[in-house]
Every structure is written in C-alpha cells, then in structure tokens.
Amino acid sequence: MASSSTTIKSLTAREVLDSRGQPTIEVDLVLAGGGCGRAAVPSGASTGSHEALELRDTKDPRFGGKGVLKAVANVRGPIAKALKGFDASKQAQLDQRLCELDNTPNKSHLGANAILGVSLAAAKAVAKSRGMPLYRSLGGAPARVLPIPLMNIVNGGAHADNTLDIQEFMIMPIGAKTFSEALRMGAEVFAALKKLLKSQKQTTAVGDEGGFAPNLSSNEEAIKVVLQAIEQAGYTPGRQIMLALDVAGNEWVHNGAYRLFKSAPEKSMRAQELISQYERWVSQYPLVSIEDGLGEDDWIGWQQLTSALGDRVQLVGDDLFVTNTERLRRGIAQRAANAILIKVNQIGTLTETLEAMETAQRAGFGTIISHRSGETEDVTIAHLAVATNAGQIKTGSLSRSERVAKYNELLRIEEQLGFRAVYAGTMWPLRKSQAKKLAKA
Ligand code: PGA
Ligand code: ZN
C-alpha cells in the first residue's frame, strides 16, 4: 500500500472517565503526515435493546464491572494491527474494515465502543491533516446550518432520582435569529427556572444531563413550570420558544403494557391512553416534538401515534430506531414516527451514522444529533450536526461542562462560518428540501 499523509501510523486507546464517573474508552490515532485525532465515546443509561453492544469488563470487579479494558485491548491489539498502513481518508472503507474485523451484527466481538472510538478518531485526524475543522472536512462547503438546540432543562426518568416519569422536558428557542441568541435565550430560561423552583422550595440539584430534577406532583406540572419559566425570562411560549419531550417510553413498558414507573407503578396503561394524553397536551401546550412516546418494539402503537399526531408534531424514534438504517426503513415504510434521534454509539461507526441520516433526510424525516446521558468533554457531535445540516441537536441543559462544551463549540463554529451561517430555527420546521436549497445557495 502506497503511503500518504493520511496513512494510519499508530493507534492507541485508554480508559478515561465519563460525566457519571464511569469508565469509557478514548482513542488516539496518528497519521503518517502528523495529523492526529482523539475521540472519547459516550454511554447511555436508558439504552435501547437493539443498540450495538458496549463492551464492558462485566466479570472484573474494577469499577463494579464497568471497566472497558477489554475494549481498550481490542483497539491496541487487533484493530491497530489491521489498520496500520490504512488510508484514514477512506472513511467508508475503514469503517467497513472495522465491521468485518468484528464480524457480528451488533459489534459484540470488538465492542461498539472500541470501534466507534477508532472511527471518530480517524475522521478527526483526517480533518486535522487537511487543516480543516471537522464539520468542514465531513460536510464540505454546504455544511453551514446551525442546529436548533433541544435543551433538557428538567430531568426525570432514569436520569434523576425524583418523582418524574418523563425523562426530558426540553425547550426549543426557534424564535432566535442565530444559534448564539438561541443559546442565550435557553440560559435565561434556565436561570428563571432556578429562581422559580427555589421560590417553590423545590430542590435545584441537577440530573445527569444538567437539567433540574425537582420532585413535582406530576409530569404535567413539570410542563407548567417550564412554561412559567419561559414567561418569567421574558419570552412567549409558542412564539419564540417551543416545548419538546423525551418520554423515554421504553422505560415505561411492563408486562406488555405501560406504567408510570416512578409515580404510579401499580397502574397499567395501554398505548392508546398515552396517545390520548399526548393529543391533549399538544392541543393545550406549545409542544412540537415528542421522542419515544412509546416502547421500542410497539410498532403498531407507533403507527397509531403517527396517524394521530404526525401531521402536527415531530415524533422522534430513539430506542425505536437506534440509529439503525434497517429499523429506520421499517419506520418509514410503516409510517411509524417522522423523525430520528441520531446517536453515534448506538450504531458504532461514522459511516453507518451518516447512512441513517441520509436515509432519514431522503424520506423527509427530521434528524436530531444527540449526546448520551454519560458524556465527556468530546465535542464531535457539535461538528456532526453542522456537517450534516441536521437542523437539530440534543445535548442537555445549560449546566455541566460536558453538555455546555458542545454548545460552546457551536458558538465557535457559528463565528467561523460568519455571514454564511444559518440558524435552523429561522426555517423551523426544517424540511429536507429547504436544507438542500440552502446548501446550494
Ligand atoms: P441515554 O438517554 O443516553 O441515557 O440513552 C438519552 C435519550 O434517551 O435520549
Ligand atoms: Zn431518548
């Protein structure tokens, strides 16, 4: 193989800590021309069962069985051996090579965490060697849409030890003219919410994604408190700022039905009852996006939900699709959901992530690039959101540096793009045709 500046010279990995203090893998990749890339892999708590496998040292008592030394050894050993001398600029081939080396449908041999670390580190090293920021190296000149942030300011579900069953109560500042203005609006609402909760003698401790985790009397009460905070910050809900929820409904599934697993675990509900509840909320509140309103295998329920609300509301499949093109295709064919949450570690390579996004965008599905509840200081997803003109990003609240790091990186990208930058809020709801037109302009 002829050597070029993007030929892989060396590859190593280490165990580092994520935002929950749990180990995760970080990969360093160096190219012959000197370009180097570093990527740290995120980790979920409310993971879908169809996700690619995160390899952990379950039998080793270190870190309570959560160590990732096997994944580290896989990078340093078989992966490094197979990729030495490989041209990292051929991302699709590199990712294919990794999949072949693993040779399982869910990356359980080498670990999706090991594979993803290498895949992302390669992309970052190539960007470095081209002297370009990652968003530009991946997306070229068309990459210039700054995403609408879905800011998770109240945490519940599996992400907080409080009374709320719904995992994420989010605000979307669509009325801003720029991303930086959207970020300021979000931060102002977050500050107003803190004051409000304090005045109600609620705790202002935060959950895994940096949102407050109060013990409110019901899920609907959380919606009301967020609306109040928006107003107290000087904004009009439904005009400048919209609401979004991640129910993480898979956590509610129990014995073939649903239940409010924290507030009323004894009461069983059918999908139709949840759908009626969402319909009521959509008519009452400026709620424009509902993620995982139902469980990961409730395809019939998802079809009913989509026929009831799909023309008015963004219905996002997270655990339903797990960034998996095959599952997404089924959703498109069966009219289940109309948007997809994109998490790089659900599928395990950059190429497969981009494939899922392309499939979604071609079908007119909305696309939201997302963090995990366990994160690091790595800001790759900020670049990915701009590279793909995704239009939306979900990266937590306005606190905790592993969340804010992504927002800060988007500020830098917006500044760098200058007058070419476009904030997706100005064209909400973002449709693929609009994004395409814009990319050509
Ligand atoms: P997770 O949560 O990272 O814990 O899976 C995020 C989400 O459900 O969107
Ligand atoms: Zn989710």
Side-chain angles (χ1 to χ4, degrees), residues 43-47 159 167-168 209 246 291 318 341 343 372-373 394:
S43 173
S46 59
T47 47
H159 292 170
Q167 184 176 281
E168 303 172 17
E209 297 189 349
D246 180 3
E291 179 182 332
D318 170 14
L341 200 78
K343 290 167 165 169
R372 299 305 305 243
S373 51
K394 202 173 90 150

Side-chain angles (χ1 to χ4, degrees), residues 27 33 46 51 73 76 95 109 115 157 164 189 198 248 273 280 285 289 351 371 423:
V27 174
S46 59
E51 295 191 21
R76 290 184 177 183
D95 288 340
H109 176 52
I115 291 175
L164 300 171
V189 174
K198 257 193 172 159
E273 290 173 70
R280 190 170 65 75
Y285 305 114
S289 179
T351 303
H371 64 165
Y423 173 54

Side-chain angles (χ1 to χ4, degrees), residues 46-67:
S46 59
T47 47
S49 64
H50 304 288
E51 295 191 21
L53 184 111
E54 179 181 74
L55 189 62
R56 293 207 179 262
D57 311 328
T58 45
K59 294 203 178 94
D60 187 336
R62 297 174 68 253
F63 291 111
K66 295 203 167 194

Side-chain angles (χ1 to χ4, degrees), residues 30-228:
V30 183
L31 302 177
C36 54
R38 169 173 292 168
V41 174
S43 173
S46 59
T47 47
S49 64
H50 304 288
E51 295 191 21
L53 184 111
E54 179 181 74
L55 189 62
R56 293 207 179 262
D57 311 328
T58 45
K59 294 203 178 94
D60 187 336
R62 297 174 68 253
F63 291 111
K66 295 203 167 194
V68 291
L69 292 183
K70 263 191 268 173
V72 166
N74 287 343
V75 173
R76 290 184 177 183
I79 295 179
K81 192 164 163 235
L83 291 188
K84 222 170 173 185
F86 203 97
D87 185 353
S89 69
K90 301 197 162 54
Q91 183 82 40
Q93 278 112 302
L94 182 135
D95 288 340
Q96 197 185 337
R97 181 86 190 86
L98 286 166
C99 290
E100 284 165 3
L101 202 62
D102 175 79
N103 200 25
T104 69
N106 64 345
K107 302 185 174 66
S108 55
H109 176 52
L110 295 170
N113 41 353
I115 291 175
L116 179 68
V118 174
S119 180
L120 295 180
K124 290 168 98 171
V126 169
K128 267 269 170 58
S129 78
R130 289 174 178 156
M132 283 179 189
L134 183 63
Y135 72 88
R136 169 58 75 101
S137 176
L138 289 177
R144 61 192 187 96
V145 177
L146 272 294
I148 299 167
L150 280 74
M151 297 151 151
N152 178 11
I153 58 175
V154 174
N155 292 187
H159 292 170
D161 294 322
N162 61 353
T163 52
L164 300 171
D165 309 280
I166 291 180
Q167 184 176 281
E168 303 172 17
F169 297 82
M170 295 173 279
I171 51 171
M172 297 170 67
I174 54 140
K177 299 277 178 295
T178 61
F179 176 79
S180 62
E181 195 190 347
L183 191 59
R184 175 174 57 78
M185 287 164 73
E188 288 168 357
V189 174
F190 186 63
L193 180 58
K194 183 168 189 172
K195 248 194 209 159
L196 191 64
L197 291 172
K198 257 193 172 159
S199 74
Q200 296 177 355
K201 306 259 178 305
Q202 283 286 350
T203 171
T204 53
V206 298
D208 283 359
E209 297 189 349
F212 299 117
N215 287 304
L216 299 170
S217 57
S218 69
N219 296 298
E220 191 163 356
E221 191 55 33
I223 296 180
K224 289 183 182 160
V225 170
V226 169
L227 289 174
Q228 234 181 314

Side-chain angles (χ1 to χ4, degrees), residues 280-360:
R280 190 170 65 75
W281 285 349
V282 166
S283 62
Q284 238 172 308
Y285 305 114
L287 175 59
V288 297
S289 179
I290 303 172
E291 179 182 332
D292 280 356
L294 296 170
E296 64 188 4
D297 290 314
D298 189 357
W299 290 95
I300 293 173
W302 270 97
Q303 283 177 303
Q304 290 165 343
L305 173 63
T306 310
S307 80
L309 279 172
D311 56 342
R312 276 175 288 165
V313 177
Q314 174 170 267
L315 300 167
V316 188
D318 170 14
D319 291 344
L320 178 71
F321 295 139
V322 290
T323 317
N324 182 312
T325 303
E326 242 172 75
R327 290 184 69 86
L328 171 63
R329 285 214 180 98
R330 178 169 175 190
I332 293 166
Q334 297 186 358
R335 293 179 194 276
N338 58 21
I340 182 172
L341 200 78
I342 299 284
K343 290 167 165 169
V344 280
N345 82 321
Q346 281 181 328
I347 190 71
T349 63
L350 179 58
T351 303
E352 289 164 289
T353 304
L354 297 175
E355 215 175 87
M357 289 207 67
E358 243 180 77
T359 305

